[in-house]
Amino acid sequence: QQQVKQSPQSLIVQKGGISIINCAYENTAFDYFPWYQQFPGKGPALLIAIRPDVSEKKEGRFTISFNKSAKQFSLHIMDSQPGDSATYFCAASTSGSARQLTFGSGTQLTVLP
Amino acid sequence: DTAVSQTPKYLVTQMGNDKSIKCEQNLGHDTMYWYKQDSKKFLKIMFSYNNKELIINETVPNRFSPKSPDKAHLNLHINSLELGDSAVYFCASSPRDRSLSGNTIYFGEGSWLTVV
């Protein structure tokens, strides 16, 4: 059972455009929602994260929008750059002694120059 | 300095062999993990471990076993390797505190395992 569903699987955007990746979750106990960025040959790295007590968080060109009632959250990349080309994963977890992240299936973003 | 380091980066081995992947973190974190990334890039947790508890994903075959000699190390042992074990294995760690940053998981660069 996939607890975090991510779409689209792949995304191609022109330089300067807006990239939008969506995720939906099922477990209402999730209280932490990060986005990870993974470049080829590297491990995933935290990009930005949000807790459900806020509806939006912005860090530079990256924004998370969170809709608790719909159990959905999304990543917006403004002014997308070729260097943003990577695989993006949404994730969710609950607080606890072992903070296990449940990942979405990933989105391969390609930003064309 | 690499925060979470794992060795080897690449490993090619034959079916039936036993192999280990080593992991070390110098972040002072109290929890370490092993994740598996398959050919479709899907990330799935295998184990999480701190000095109090080991949590095993029930879908992980018992041929896989984590071993932690100390707080900074969590090695992955795999017995009787099968073709389907070919994947990228990521070690990771996270700190104790329960702030937003405390949920951050830091990943190593991965170990590419190919079973032939």
Side-chain angles (χ1 to χ4, degrees):
Chain A
Q1 182 183 5
Q2 187 179 356
Q3 295 193 54
V4 180
K5 295 183 178 180
Q6 182 173 347
S7 62
Q9 185 176 7
S10 62
L11 180 62
I12 300 175
V13 175
Q14 292 286 343
K15 178 182 176 180
I18 302 174
S19 304
I20 301 175
I21 305 170
N22 300 298
C23 283
Y25 62 97
E26 300 170 1
N27 186 349
T28 55
F30 286 148
D31 60 0
Y32 173 68
F33 302 90
W35 285 88
Y36 278 75
Q37 180 187 56
Q38 184 180 24
F39 292 105
K42 301 293 185 181
L46 179 68
L47 185 63
I48 186 173
I50 196 169
R51 286 203 186 277
D53 53 348
V54 297
S55 60
E56 184 175 284
K57 182 174 181 180
K58 183 177 181 179
E59 290 184 1
R61 297 184 293 108
F62 301 91
T63 300
I64 298 178
S65 296
F66 185 83
N67 186 328
K68 187 175 181 179
S69 60
K71 294 188 289 185
Q72 295 175 346
F73 59 110
S74 60
L75 176 69
H76 296 235
I77 305 175
M78 310 299 289
D79 187 26
S80 298
Q81 299 296 312
D84 296 331
S85 297
T87 301
Y88 292 81
F89 294 92
C90 63
S93 72
T94 58
S95 301
S97 60
R99 295 170 286 276
Q100 301 188 22
L101 282 176
T102 299
F103 282 89
S105 54
T107 296
Q108 178 67 55
L109 172 65
T110 301
V111 181
L112 301 176
Chain B
D1 291 339
T2 304
V4 181
S5 59
Q6 49 184 115
T7 56
K9 189 170 179 69
Y10 301 99
L11 179 59
V12 180
T13 187
Q14 290 186 326
M15 284 176 54
N17 284 351
D18 303 338
K19 291 294 179 184
S20 296
I21 305 173
K22 295 183 177 181
C23 178
E24 176 182 6
Q25 54 95 3
N26 62 5
L27 297 167
H29 291 166
D30 70 324
T31 304
M32 296 185 71
Y33 312 82
W34 278 102
Y35 280 83
K36 179 181 180 180
Q37 187 170 47
D38 62 24
S39 58
K40 296 183 179 179
K41 294 193 175 180
F42 189 69
L43 275 164
K44 188 173 183 180
I45 190 165
M46 301 177 69
F47 306 99
S48 62
Y49 180 81
N50 63 22
N51 59 1
K52 296 181 180 179
E53 61 183 333
L54 169 66
I55 297 179
I56 302 172
N57 185 318
E58 65 274 7
T59 66
V60 175
N62 58 14
R63 298 181 294 103
F64 291 78
S65 59
K67 295 201 186 333
S68 180
D70 56 56
K71 188 177 178 180
H73 296 81
L74 184 65
N75 303 323
L76 180 65
H77 295 269
I78 315 170
N79 296 323
S80 302
L81 277 157
E82 300 178 356
L83 294 176
D85 297 333
S86 296
V88 184
Y89 293 86
F90 287 99
C91 179
S93 70
S94 65
R96 174 191 297 272
D97 71 85
R98 298 173 67 86
S99 65
L100 185 63
S101 62
N103 278 74
T104 301
I105 294 182
Y106 297 82
F107 286 84
E109 296 206 331
S111 294
W112 270 251
L113 173 65
T114 301
V115 182
V116 297

